[in-house]
Amino acid sequence: MTHIAFLIYPGFTALDAVGPYEVLSRLPKTRVTFVASKPGPVRTDTGALLVHAEAGIAEVPAPDIFLVPGGLSASIAAAKDAELIDWVRGAHATTEWSVSVCTGALLLGAAGLLDGQPATTHWAARDRLTHYGATYVPERVVRSGRVITAAGVSAGIDMALGLAAELGGTPMAEAIQLLMEYDPQPPFEAGSLAAASSETVSHATRLLRTAALRDVGRRFLRKDPKARPATLER
Amino acid sequence: MTHIAFLIYPGFTALDAVGPYEVLSRLPKTRVTFVASKPGPVRTDTGALLVHAEAGIAEVPAPDIFLVPGGLSASIAAAKDAELIDWVRGAHATTEWSVSVCTGALLLGAAGLLDGQPATTHWAARDRLTHYGATYVPERVVRSGRVITAAGVSAGIDMALGLAAELGGTPMAEAIQLLMEYDPQPPFEAGSLAAASSETVSHATRLLRTAALRDVGRRFLRKDPKARPATLER
């Protein structure tokens, strides 16, 4: 039985975790557990969705595989959370695979897993990744030893299908792909920095900034409901 | 402010809802609420993930848009749940769009929304759809009047990007696609009945049957923890 832990934290991006979960949880002889600092509901980056962690990290110290999703400002905060980073470092000692999606790579970096390694992350966070000694590679999925990093959000689905083939064989991964009807037909050619127009890149960057500020504000306000963070006044 | 309700129920498939949520929740002037029979955690089809409903359906009788995800045996059960189906029928009276992903179409069918209409669903449920008077169309997204049906699971992402363009304009939808890095690169050509080999189709059908039996068993056992459903004995 392969035990896969999905590490979630306040402000994570839901699809970063749920895309790969939908693939990997369909593998036979596989158990999936969503873990967080402590068990209970965890609010995602938009504020509109809560996902439940069924276990605290202390209960799952040595999964066979773990996956860390990204978030907006939250992944930067999580990369500074000593308890989470200690868990990532400790779990990595015995994993078969240690995996990140999107800015989840920042947590792997903070735990020292990317030092001197090639890795990927969300395009908007590529400079941050190099702070941890990683070499940013503009690929959708990057493997280096036992570490797999995937680019932004939906890249986790492609990554997970590749990992499913590794774990359960290609025929199994293909069957899971058909079950999910993963026959993508995006209506626009705008999904990567290379494909998007410069207008789309500017627009996306503005959206990201607004969402990140809202996200910082929300996390700030949760600590002190009366506070009015300066970042939201601009 | 456009209010979008995601109707979830025990045994729904997480990605059916979370894919479109990740797109639509990024639209400005949009509010998203996950609703269920009553507020609280709702277990998904794999048993491994719980998503929180922040409101009961009675609290959100008239959203501007609603979306119904699919599930395994659970969507068949939900299509027989008079309370849920009454809500779907009532909400549809005033929606701008009424939307399903995957076997969520069965709930629209049960509410009478597909009678005489073209519609799509998960490939494995295409015969069931015709019970409701719908004409099954093997497309990834089908629109008919104010009703949008999407095919299985990941089809919801493509559908939501099209809907986002409708609601917020194409430049906005493109920016959201770039934020999600939705530049799909599936490792296999296996995501549709047309693309998959006959071996993959058989394999997927077996996986689906096993998962559905496990799902029925789980829902059965929850009602009576001592029961041993016959379907699991085979």
Side-chain angles (χ1 to χ4, degrees):
Chain A
M1 185 66 81
T2 302
H3 190 186
I4 310 181
F6 283 72
L7 177 66
I8 59 175
Y9 50 86
F12 80 103
T13 297
L15 189 59
D16 288 14
V18 172
Y21 144 86
E22 203 63 82
V23 176
L24 299 172
S25 63
R26 307 286 169 194
L27 286 169
K29 298 181 196 154
T30 299
R31 195 177 130 221
V32 164
T33 309
F34 278 70
V35 301
S37 289
K38 54 178 199 289
V42 178
R43 195 171 290 275
T44 63
D45 56 356
T46 62
L49 174 62
L50 288 101
V51 170
H52 217 80
E54 294 226 69
I57 50 179
E59 300 167 62
V60 186
D64 300 300
I65 297 171
F66 70 77
L67 182 147
V68 186
L72 298 165
S73 65
S75 53
I76 299 169
K80 292 176 185 157
D81 182 324
E83 196 195 3
L84 292 182
I85 298 308
D86 280 351
W87 182 86
V88 167
R89 196 182 293 113
H92 178 64
T94 54
T95 52
E96 193 175 338
W97 298 102
S98 300
V99 182
S100 67
V101 175
C102 196
T103 51
L106 304 181
L107 281 81
L108 303 195
L113 274 56
L114 302 182
D115 195 23
Q117 303 299 316
T120 191
T121 187
H122 192 284
W123 54 265
R126 58 202 191 283
D127 292 340
R128 279 190 187 273
L129 198 64
T130 60
H131 292 183
Y132 299 109
T135 305
Y136 172 72
V137 181
E139 296 285 338
R140 201 150 164 86
V141 181
V142 174
R143 288 182 178 211
S144 178
R146 294 184 291 117
V147 175
I148 307 175
T149 49
V153 195
S154 62
I157 299 173
D158 298 332
M159 179 277 298
L161 284 167
L163 182 56
E166 200 86 38
L167 296 168
T170 298
M172 177 60 73
E174 289 176 325
I176 291 173
Q177 189 180 341
L178 179 58
L179 280 184
M180 294 171 61
E181 282 201 72
Y182 188 51
D183 173 32
Q185 294 169 24
F188 311 109
E189 278 288 336
S192 71
L193 278 186
S197 69
S198 59
E199 287 73 22
T200 299
V201 176
S202 309
H203 196 161
T205 306
R206 281 197 305 278
L207 262 185
L208 192 61
R209 200 169 295 139
T210 311
L213 285 177
R214 214 184 292 128
D215 180 55
V216 168
R218 207 162 28 231
R219 289 188 303 116
F220 188 85
L221 290 166
R222 232 184 341 257
K223 285 183 190 158
D224 176 2
K226 286 183 196 146
R228 302 197 62 198
T231 44
L232 290 181
E233 311 280 86
R234 279 179 215 152
Chain B
M1 185 69 76
T2 301
H3 190 186
I4 309 181
F6 284 71
L7 177 65
I8 60 176
Y9 50 86
F12 80 103
T13 297
L15 189 59
D16 288 14
V18 172
Y21 144 86
E22 202 63 83
V23 176
L24 300 172
S25 63
R26 307 287 169 192
L27 286 169
K29 297 182 197 153
T30 298
R31 194 176 130 221
V32 164
T33 309
F34 279 69
V35 301
S37 289
K38 55 177 199 289
V42 178
R43 195 171 291 274
T44 63
D45 56 356
T46 62
L49 174 61
L50 288 102
V51 170
H52 218 80
E54 294 225 71
I57 50 180
E59 300 167 61
V60 186
D64 301 299
I65 297 172
F66 70 77
L67 182 146
V68 186
L72 298 166
S73 64
S75 53
I76 300 169
K80 292 175 185 158
D81 181 325
E83 197 196 0
L84 293 181
I85 299 308
D86 280 352
W87 182 85
V88 167
R89 195 181 293 110
H92 177 64
T94 54
T95 52
E96 192 175 338
W97 298 101
S98 301
V99 182
S100 68
V101 175
C102 196
T103 52
L106 303 181
L107 281 81
L108 302 195
L113 273 56
L114 303 181
D115 194 25
Q117 303 300 317
T120 190
T121 187
H122 192 284
W123 54 265
R126 56 202 191 283
D127 292 341
R128 280 190 186 273
L129 197 65
T130 59
H131 294 184
Y132 300 109
T135 305
Y136 170 73
V137 182
E139 296 284 338
R140 202 150 164 86
V141 181
V142 174
R143 289 182 179 211
S144 178
R146 293 184 291 116
V147 176
I148 307 176
T149 49
V153 194
S154 62
I157 299 173
D158 297 332
M159 177 278 296
L161 283 167
L163 183 55
E166 200 87 38
L167 296 168
T170 297
M172 176 61 72
E174 290 177 324
I176 291 172
Q177 188 180 341
L178 178 57
L179 279 184
M180 293 171 62
E181 282 201 71
Y182 188 51
D183 173 31
Q185 295 169 23
F188 312 109
E189 276 289 337
S192 71
L193 277 187
S197 69
S198 60
E199 287 74 21
T200 299
V201 175
S202 309
H203 196 161
T205 306
R206 282 198 305 278
L207 260 185
L208 192 61
R209 201 169 295 138
T210 312
L213 284 176
R214 214 183 292 129
D215 180 55
V216 169
R218 209 163 26 231
R219 289 189 301 118
F220 187 85
L221 290 166
R222 233 185 339 258
K223 284 183 190 158
D224 176 0
K226 285 183 198 144
R228 304 197 61 199
T231 44
L232 291 180
E233 310 282 87
R234 279 177 217 154

